[in-house]
Amino acid sequence: MTFNRALQTGESLTFTAETGPKPSLQAKTQAVFDISTTASNSTWSAVQQSTDSSSVSVSISSPANAAIGRYKLSVQPASGGSASRSTLGT
């Protein structure tokens, strides 16, 4: 991910991974997760690997029991206000 500046204190990134025609949290075909300090074996997780003035490297991990399929990954930056979600890829 490339930004026009580094992430500041209080800013965060929320990721959404979803698969299937009607993704849902209940069906476990959608996951919403923030950056954490360590990867999890039981849930989707995002761990910041490195950062500089214009980029952030994030490692995304899925749990072993995640639904099989092609996922769409999106990110929503937040800094106290609302921000739009951007698709990163499939």
Side-chain angles (χ1 to χ4, degrees):
M1 295 177 284
T2 303
F3 301 93
N4 62 359
R5 59 176 175 74
L7 291 175
Q8 303 296 312
T9 302
E11 293 180 317
S12 65
L13 299 174
T14 299
F15 295 90
T16 302
E18 49 193 15
T19 190
K22 294 183 180 181
S24 77
L25 295 172
Q26 283 184 317
K28 297 186 182 195
T29 55
Q30 181 184 51
V32 179
F33 51 99
D34 296 321
I35 291 180
S36 59
T37 55
T38 59
S40 170
N41 292 329
S42 60
T43 62
W44 283 82
S45 59
V47 177
Q48 184 173 323
Q49 300 295 311
S50 64
T51 186
D52 63 32
S53 63
S54 64
S55 66
V56 176
S57 176
V58 177
S59 175
I60 307 247
S61 302
S62 62
N65 65 348
I68 295 173
R70 186 175 187 157
Y71 281 83
K72 178 176 82 171
L73 181 65
S74 57
V75 64
Q76 181 171 357
S79 59
S82 62
S84 61
R85 189 165 53 163
S86 299
T87 300
L88 298 174
T90 56

